[in-house]
Structure formats: structure tokens, C-alpha cells
Amino acid sequence: MRFNGAAIKVLREGRSWTQKELARRIAETGHFSGFTHQRVEQLERSDNASHRVICALCEVFQVRPAAFFETDD
């Protein structure tokens, strides 16, 4: 399994949220003291994320961690 940052963009756009809106929502989870839209942009292009980021994303999007991973078949 590997992290798929593009899944963040799909979920975000499906809710019509901007990167700035997602950053605000992530910051409100309490997992981070601040989170920027630049960090969201970076995550959407990434193939790696920390456990803390994944937990915050799961909370914001109300999904399981598997939503952000691809299986290597």
C-alpha cells in the first residue's frame, strides 16, 4: 500500500472546498496549531504523509485511512 495524495484533492473537490478551506478544517481538528493551503497543495501531490496528517484528514472527511492509500497489485 502507498499513500495517494491525489485522493485528498478528489475528496476536497467533491465537497467544493478550496485548499484554504481544507487547511482551516484540518487546523480546527486540533492535530496542528496551524495548517496552510500550501501544505494542502503539497499533500495533494505527495506520495507520503505522517500518521498525524492522515488522522486529521480522516476526521475532516469522515473516512477511513484506506481512502488515502492504493494497493500495489
Side-chain angles (χ1 to χ4, degrees):
M1 291 180 76
R2 65 189 166 103
F3 182 77
N4 176 18
I8 299 168
K9 184 175 183 176
V10 170
L11 289 168
R12 177 180 62 78
E13 289 180 342
R15 288 161 175 76
S16 299
W17 294 348
T18 64
Q19 289 177 338
K20 192 172 184 176
E21 172 70 10
L22 177 55
R24 182 188 63 76
R25 288 174 184 264
I26 290 171
E28 287 176 351
T29 66
H31 293 280
F32 300 91
S33 59
F35 209 87
T36 65
H37 69 279
Q38 290 95 343
R39 180 69 175 119
V40 170
E41 181 180 7
Q42 182 183 40
L43 282 169
E44 290 180 349
R45 292 182 281 125
S46 179
D47 62 356
N48 192 13
S50 71
H51 180 264
R52 204 165 77 158
V53 167
I54 293 168
C55 288
L57 289 168
C58 288
E59 188 174 328
V60 167
F61 288 119
Q62 296 292 297
V63 296
R64 293 178 171 257
F68 304 105
F69 290 89
E70 293 179 341
T71 57
D72 295 323
D73 293 337

